[in-house]
Amino acid sequence: AHRDPSLSSLFAKENLAHMSEEQLNRYDRLINEPSNDWDIYYWATEAKPTPAEFDTDVMAMLREFAKNRNREQRLRQPDLEYLFEAPR
């Protein structure tokens, strides 16, 4: 599977407003401390186990978000109308 680079930004858009200050601090640490953004993606999609220090309620929320996001992407076909538009 290729990485959806907007996974954490979409998660942030939907969730940050509802998170406590402690959760915001854990989210900030999660997106800033790992040296590799791919690690966060792999943890969120459960391709790799999340290290204990990052396996928080916020990581659980991100994992759940990734599952729902993947389900949406499987259900929705890409927009292909542009392929059939008459040339102008």
Side-chain angles (χ1 to χ4, degrees):
H2 69 280
R3 179 178 188 215
D4 175 358
S6 58
L7 183 68
S8 58
S9 58
L10 287 168
F11 172 81
K13 188 175 172 187
E14 284 193 21
N15 292 280
L16 292 194
H18 313 292
M19 288 164 67
S20 69
E21 190 174 341
E22 291 82 8
Q23 287 175 318
L24 291 171
N25 289 336
R26 286 192 287 276
Y27 179 74
D28 189 59
R29 186 172 168 234
L30 174 66
I31 60 170
N32 288 305
E33 280 190 26
S35 56
N36 186 347
D37 284 346
W38 279 97
D39 286 336
I40 300 166
Y41 178 77
Y42 291 141
W43 303 336
T45 57
E46 298 182 86
K48 289 183 179 177
T50 306
E53 67 265 31
F54 296 114
D55 202 2
T56 65
D57 57 338
V58 174
M59 190 68 229
M61 289 166 67
L62 184 57
R63 272 196 297 267
E64 202 52 43
F65 181 80
K67 282 179 197 164
N68 292 337
R69 182 103 187 106
N70 286 341
R71 199 154 40 241
E72 282 170 24
Q73 287 174 342
R74 281 197 301 270
L75 292 173
R76 185 174 179 278
Q77 293 299 312
D79 296 321
L80 299 176
E81 292 85 24
Y82 71 92
L83 292 176
F84 306 107
E85 282 178 12
R88 294 198 166 103

